[in-house]
Coordinates of all heavy atoms in Angstrom, one line a residue:
V161 N -0.1 47.4 -15.8 CA 0.0 48.7 -16.2 C 0.7 48.9 -17.6 O 0.9 50.0 -18.1 CB 0.7 49.6 -15.2 CG1 0.0 49.5 -13.8 CG2 2.2 49.2 -15.0
K162 N 1.1 47.7 -18.1 CA 1.7 47.7 -19.5 C 3.1 48.6 -19.4 O 3.4 49.2 -20.4 CB 0.8 48.1 -20.5 CG -0.4 47.1 -20.6 CD -1.3 47.6 -21.8 CE -2.5 46.6 -21.9 NZ -3.3 46.4 -20.7
G163 N 3.7 48.6 -18.3 CA 4.9 49.4 -18.3 C 4.8 50.9 -18.2 O 5.8 51.6 -18.2
S164 N 3.6 51.4 -18.0 CA 3.2 52.7 -17.9 C 3.3 53.3 -16.5 O 2.5 53.0 -15.7 CB 1.9 53.0 -18.6 OG 1.5 54.3 -18.4
L165 N 4.3 54.2 -16.3 CA 4.3 54.8 -15.0 C 3.2 55.7 -14.6 O 2.8 55.8 -13.5 CB 5.7 55.6 -14.9 CG 7.0 54.8 -14.9 CD1 8.2 55.7 -14.8 CD2 7.0 53.9 -13.6
S166 N 2.7 56.3 -15.7 CA 1.6 57.2 -15.5 C 0.3 56.5 -15.1 O -0.5 56.8 -14.3 CB 1.3 58.0 -16.8 OG 1.0 57.1 -17.9
A167 N 0.1 55.2 -15.7 CA -1.0 54.3 -15.3 C -0.8 53.9 -13.9 O -1.8 53.8 -13.1 CB -1.1 53.1 -16.2
L168 N 0.4 53.6 -13.5 CA 0.7 53.2 -12.0 C 0.4 54.3 -11.1 O -0.3 54.1 -10.1 CB 2.2 52.7 -12.0 CG 2.6 52.2 -10.5 CD1 1.7 51.0 -10.2 CD2 4.0 51.8 -10.6
S169 N 0.9 55.5 -11.5 CA 0.6 56.6 -10.5 C -0.8 57.0 -10.4 O -1.3 57.6 -9.4 CB 1.5 57.8 -11.0 OG 1.1 58.3 -12.2
S170 N -1.6 56.9 -11.4 CA -3.0 57.2 -11.4 C -3.9 56.0 -11.1 O -5.1 56.2 -11.1 CB -3.4 57.7 -12.8 OG -3.3 56.8 -13.8
L171 N -3.3 54.9 -10.9 CA -4.0 53.6 -10.5 C -5.1 53.4 -11.6 O -6.3 52.9 -11.3 CB -4.7 53.7 -9.2 CG -3.8 53.8 -8.0 CD1 -4.5 54.0 -6.7 CD2 -2.9 52.6 -7.8
S172 N -4.8 53.7 -12.9 CA -5.7 53.4 -13.9 C -5.6 52.0 -14.5 O -5.0 51.8 -15.5 CB -5.4 54.4 -15.1 OG -6.3 54.2 -16.1
F173 N -6.2 51.0 -13.8 CA -6.1 49.6 -14.1 C -7.2 49.2 -14.9 O -8.3 49.7 -14.9 CB -6.1 48.8 -12.8 CG -4.9 49.1 -11.9 CD1 -5.2 49.4 -10.6 CD2 -3.6 49.0 -12.3 CE1 -4.2 49.6 -9.7 CE2 -2.6 49.2 -11.5 CZ -2.8 49.6 -10.1

Side-chain angles (χ1 to χ4, degrees):
V161 303
K162 299 178 176 62
S164 170
L165 290 176
S166 60
L168 181 61
S169 61
S170 63
L171 295 177
S172 178
F173 299 122

